[in-house]
Amino acid sequence: MAGFWGKRKRDEALEAQDDDLARRARSALVAADERIRVTTDELAFAEAELGNEPTQDLRDALTAVRTHLAEAFHLNQLNHDEIPDTAEELRTRHARIVQLCEWAQELLDDRTEALAAPIERARRGPEIIAGVRADAARQRARLPHARDTLARLRARYSAEAMQRVEANPAEAEQLIGFAEHSAGISERRREAGQREQANLALEAATEASRRAGALLEAVETFEVEALRAESTLSAIIEDSREDLVVAMREPANPGVTAAIVALHEALAALPAAGVNTDPFTLLTRLREANTGLDAAIAAARERAARVIPPLEHVRHSIDDADRQLAVVRDVIAGHRGWIGSDARTRLAEAERIRIDLDRYLGTSAAAATTIDEDHRDQAMAMARRVGFLASEALQLAQRDIDSSRPQDQNWGGPQQQGWGGGRRGGGGNDLMGGILGGLVIGSLLDGMFD
């Protein structure tokens, strides 16, 4: 009886969900259809304001939405024809109707929002044109001051430094004229009803006016930044001389010596007082040399504090890793049908790191006669990782071999020899024990060398 009432409650809950889905589908259909009608009107208005090309995306979206909404109406018609439908069929159609309508709403939202700013700009066309002309007048008034500023800067800074802003007033004047001309074109095209061309000309005028203002502002900014660069350069010169004194006290190191020479050269290249200079280039050059010296000293101190493994210890770690790899390869190759994924995965990872070790050293690690001191720590760590993974692979392989053998203590019969020449519990385990014991001894010797 409890099962009957439980099934009835589930059926009632499902019916309620289906009723809700049907209501959502009907409401979504109405809303999507009405949205198409509203957007069609909006498209006509946008075409009048912007022209055909800027509104093409919205036009394409409306075409796609009408096509898919026709499918939604067809599905809704199937739900109300004379052919009986199952609950599952109704549920599937209602869900599809909701999906199509939501997609239509989202697409139209996206396309209409993209046109909102251009339409608003087109509506404000006359106002924007007036603003462009006002900006152009203000910027023309700034041109004499910008030229006077350039004349003052030429007396202080080199031609190389002045290249950043030398042509700015002339370019700004050209852009101002272009902005005024484009504003006039926009105004005439708008009066002639050529909205698309009017809007393009308006955008060109606005951008030209903005660029002209930026060029004139850059002249003023250059003067301030140049004075700041000169002040910073003086401070870095003083710091560099003090850094050289400290660097000369450091223990001999090729990297530090080269950095000292580079900083000396950068200081010696500084022009004499009264010479027109490029403070930006001088500051960059001196800062790079100063930073290079700091980095070289830090690297030398870090290297001096770090214990560099002797070459023979690194070679021993690599040889030991190669020995352990060879052992586990032979064991897995001799018992392919018995070895599981864990052992094979450890071996594959060990072999990958072993290949990476050769790449890191730029040559075969096994054949390398010398290894740079800066690479020895990493090379030893990689070799030890290879050995550890190979040892794990060997232990996992032994586990797989033991679990794959029959549990009979007389496996193979009294006269049959087991793996490695012995019976279960005899030669096989003795051999594997010897291998593992050898690896343990190898790792102990490795630790003694370290």
Side-chain angles (χ1 to χ4, degrees), residues 219-345:
V219 175
E220 305 296 332
T221 303
F222 177 88
E223 186 171 30
V224 175
E225 293 301 325
L227 291 172
R228 186 177 298 166
E230 287 184 282
S231 175
T232 305
L233 180 62
S234 300
I236 289 186
I237 290 173
E238 187 66 26
D239 289 343
S240 297
R241 288 169 177 162
E242 293 176 0
D243 289 344
L244 284 174
V245 173
V246 174
M248 298 298 292
R249 300 173 186 156
E250 293 289 323
N253 180 276
V256 174
T257 301
I260 289 174
V261 171
L263 186 53
H264 267 302
E265 292 176 349
L267 288 170
L270 293 173
V275 177
N276 289 3
T277 63
D278 181 354
F280 302 102
T281 300
L282 295 177
L283 180 60
T284 299
R285 188 182 304 154
L286 192 59
R287 182 180 283 143
E288 288 176 351
N290 192 287
T291 302
L293 178 59
D294 291 341
I297 291 175
R301 289 175 178 175
E302 188 272 335
R303 184 171 180 176
R306 187 179 71 244
V307 177
I308 301 174
L311 177 60
E312 57 269 22
H313 291 188
V314 182
R315 295 285 324 139
H316 175 75
S317 296
I318 295 173
D319 292 343
D320 182 63
D322 289 341
R323 283 196 306 271
Q324 296 190 68
L325 272 177
V327 170
V328 71
R329 284 183 187 131
D330 290 342
V331 170
I332 292 178
H335 303 81
R336 293 178 182 173
W338 294 358
I339 306 302
S341 62
D342 289 346
R344 295 172 188 268
T345 300

Side-chain angles (χ1 to χ4, degrees), residues 6 20 36 41 56 60 133 162 173 182 217 226 257 267 284 329 349 366 374 407 417 436:
D20 180 64
I36 288 177
D41 295 338
Q56 185 62 48
D60 293 342
R133 286 175 171 156
M162 294 301 299
E173 187 172 15
S182 298
E217 190 65 32
T257 301
L267 288 170
T284 299
R329 284 183 187 131
E349 180 66 8
D374 291 335
Q407 297 302 313
Q417 297 296 309
L436 294 175

Side-chain angles (χ1 to χ4, degrees), residues 23-354:
R23 284 192 296 271
R24 287 177 55 201
R26 291 191 296 270
S27 176
L29 261 179
V30 173
D33 186 56
E34 187 61 27
R35 179 59 188 276
I36 288 177
R37 300 175 191 279
V38 171
T39 305
T40 301
D41 295 338
E42 292 177 348
L43 175 61
F45 175 77
E47 287 173 343
E49 289 290 336
L50 304 176
N52 292 329
E53 186 175 347
T55 57
Q56 185 62 48
D57 286 346
L58 180 57
R59 193 177 302 107
D60 293 342
L62 269 173
T63 301
V65 166
R66 287 191 183 101
T67 300
H68 287 80
L69 202 62
E71 177 189 347
F73 277 117
H74 177 65
L75 292 173
N76 193 51
Q77 178 61 36
L78 291 177
N79 290 340
H80 297 88
D81 60 17
E82 67 279 2
I83 302 174
D85 299 306
T86 65
E88 182 63 29
E89 288 173 336
L90 292 171
R91 188 179 305 120
T92 301
R93 290 174 190 157
H94 286 143
R96 176 62 175 166
I97 290 170
V98 171
Q99 180 188 34
L100 289 170
C101 293
E102 289 179 348
W103 169 82
Q105 294 275 18
E106 290 174 1
L107 179 61
L108 294 179
D109 283 345
D110 180 67
R111 298 299 167 83
T112 52
E113 286 176 8
L115 288 177
I119 290 174
E120 178 64 21
R121 192 161 52 248
R123 287 175 175 173
R124 296 176 54 242
E127 177 186 344
I128 295 175
I129 289 174
V132 168
R133 286 175 171 156
D135 286 341
R138 283 193 296 270
Q139 288 161 9
R140 280 194 184 279
R142 295 176 62 189
L143 286 173
H145 177 71
R147 293 190 175 102
D148 291 343
T149 302
L150 278 182
R152 185 170 62 253
L153 292 172
R154 290 191 197 101
R156 185 177 182 87
Y157 302 110
S158 66
E160 292 77 10
M162 294 301 299
Q163 285 180 354
R164 295 174 172 85
V165 293
E166 184 69 51
N168 282 25
E171 291 179 9
E173 187 172 15
Q174 291 179 349
L175 286 168
I176 292 169
F178 181 76
E180 292 172 334
H181 179 67
S182 298
I185 292 176
S186 177
E187 197 169 44
R188 290 190 295 273
R189 291 294 186 271
R190 181 174 295 276
E191 291 172 355
Q194 298 172 338
R195 295 302 182 93
E196 187 172 339
Q197 295 179 9
N199 292 327
L200 290 174
L202 182 60
E203 290 181 6
T206 303
E207 177 62 16
S209 178
R210 184 197 64 79
R211 289 178 56 196
L215 288 172
L216 294 176
E217 190 65 32
V219 175
E220 305 296 332
T221 303
F222 177 88
E223 186 171 30
V224 175
E225 293 301 325
L227 291 172
R228 186 177 298 166
E230 287 184 282
S231 175
T232 305
L233 180 62
S234 300
I236 289 186
I237 290 173
E238 187 66 26
D239 289 343
S240 297
R241 288 169 177 162
E242 293 176 0
D243 289 344
L244 284 174
V245 173
V246 174
M248 298 298 292
R249 300 173 186 156
E250 293 289 323
N253 180 276
V256 174
T257 301
I260 289 174
V261 171
L263 186 53
H264 267 302
E265 292 176 349
L267 288 170
L270 293 173
V275 177
N276 289 3
T277 63
D278 181 354
F280 302 102
T281 300
L282 295 177
L283 180 60
T284 299
R285 188 182 304 154
L286 192 59
R287 182 180 283 143
E288 288 176 351
N290 192 287
T291 302
L293 178 59
D294 291 341
I297 291 175
R301 289 175 178 175
E302 188 272 335
R303 184 171 180 176
R306 187 179 71 244
V307 177
I308 301 174
L311 177 60
E312 57 269 22
H313 291 188
V314 182
R315 295 285 324 139
H316 175 75
S317 296
I318 295 173
D319 292 343
D320 182 63
D322 289 341
R323 283 196 306 271
Q324 296 190 68
L325 272 177
V327 170
V328 71
R329 284 183 187 131
D330 290 342
V331 170
I332 292 178
H335 303 81
R336 293 178 182 173
W338 294 358
I339 306 302
S341 62
D342 289 346
R344 295 172 188 268
T345 300
R346 299 299 194 285
L347 174 60
E349 180 66 8
E351 290 176 331
R352 183 190 68 79
I353 297 175
R354 183 62 184 83

